Amino acid sequence: MSDDHSRIARLETSLESILRTLDEMKGDARRREEKIDSLAAGYVEFKHHRKEICQPLHVRIDGLEVRIRALEAFKWKALGAVAVVSFLANILANRL
């Protein structure tokens, strides 16, 4: 009988240890779930905030495109003017 009592006592100790470990695991899982929920909420907030940030960037990029087109137009006009002046200078040089 004493062997049975000692085995039962060891089993009860093991069971208590297993139950404590399970409780700790549940607590860890709960903390992880709360952290995931807070990260997900932060992501949703960031996603909304990102739209607000990207909108002015889109407007700035459009403004830069307009400026680049104006600079390209000026470049071609200046190149045309240089070509006309060079042509006229060549004609005048040949006449003299």
Side-chain angles (χ1 to χ4, degrees):
M1 280 268 191
S2 68
D3 285 338
D4 290 338
H5 288 301
S6 64
R7 284 194 336 201
I8 290 173
R10 283 192 308 242
L11 286 174
E12 286 177 348
T13 305
S14 295
L15 179 63
E16 289 173 5
S17 173
I18 290 171
L19 290 175
R20 254 185 277 121
T21 303
L22 285 174
D23 286 340
E24 291 172 3
M25 290 173 70
K26 285 180 186 178
D28 291 343
R30 191 176 307 114
R31 282 190 292 278
R32 278 194 299 273
E33 183 180 357
E34 289 170 359
K35 187 168 184 170
I36 288 172
D37 289 343
S38 69
L39 288 173
Y43 174 74
V44 169
E45 183 179 323
F46 170 75
K47 191 175 176 183
H48 177 71
H49 183 65
R50 186 186 67 183
K51 286 181 182 177
E52 295 172 359
I53 292 171
C54 291
Q55 185 66 23
L57 290 176
H58 179 68
V59 171
R60 278 198 242 163
I61 288 172
D62 288 344
L64 289 175
E65 286 179 7
V66 170
R67 290 180 64 192
I68 288 171
R69 286 190 190 119
L71 287 171
E72 287 175 345
F74 174 76
K75 175 184 75 171
W76 288 113
K77 289 176 186 175
L79 187 61
V82 167
V84 169
V85 170
S86 298
F87 179 73
L88 293 176
N90 189 20
I91 290 175
L92 286 176
N94 285 338
R95 286 192 182 195
L96 295 175

